[in-house]
Amino acid sequence: MAIAPIADAAPAKIWTTWEQTNLSQKRCLSRAKNVIRDLGYDYQTLTSGVYGEYDDYSVTIRCITDMNMVFFIATHPNTDWASEELINLVDAF
């Protein structure tokens, strides 16, 4: 019986940042959905944000408008790719 080795999964590198906003919660969620969709992610709208996945990437835009804040999260096993995707996410928002 042959046993195939199991590849070690690299832990995700997580990059975050936030920006101030004056958007309403509804407008922020709409913009977050459009950004994540337009960047090519399969997305899901959550109560306070939008989550997206594509290959090894995952991104989230959280709208915390009662505190005038938008929080951005990007993850990927490669730290350079994760940080680059965070920049893309913020720039597109």
Side-chain angles (χ1 to χ4, degrees):
M1 177 165 122
I3 299 176
I6 297 174
D8 289 331
K13 308 306 186 266
I14 301 170
W15 285 81
T16 66
T17 192
W18 66 276
E19 293 197 353
Q20 292 184 321
T21 186
N22 291 320
L23 294 173
S24 68
Q25 186 73 6
K26 183 178 178 178
R27 181 69 185 122
C28 182
L29 289 172
S30 177
R31 184 178 286 185
K33 179 189 81 168
N34 291 339
V35 165
I36 289 175
R37 181 197 61 216
D38 291 350
L39 287 173
Y41 288 89
D42 294 324
Y43 67 90
Q44 178 179 5
T45 301
L46 310 170
T47 303
S48 65
V50 179
Y51 171 80
E53 285 186 341
Y54 177 78
D55 287 339
D56 290 338
Y57 290 98
S58 65
V59 296
T60 303
I61 299 175
R62 292 236 12 243
C63 297
I64 312 166
T65 56
D66 59 335
M67 298 177 72
N68 293 35
M69 177 183 199
V70 181
F71 191 71
F72 302 89
I73 305 164
T75 69
H76 189 275
N78 181 302
T79 194
D80 292 335
W81 293 358
S83 65
E84 231 175 85
E85 194 62 3
L86 182 69
I87 292 166
N88 293 337
L89 196 64
V90 173
D91 286 349
F93 192 82

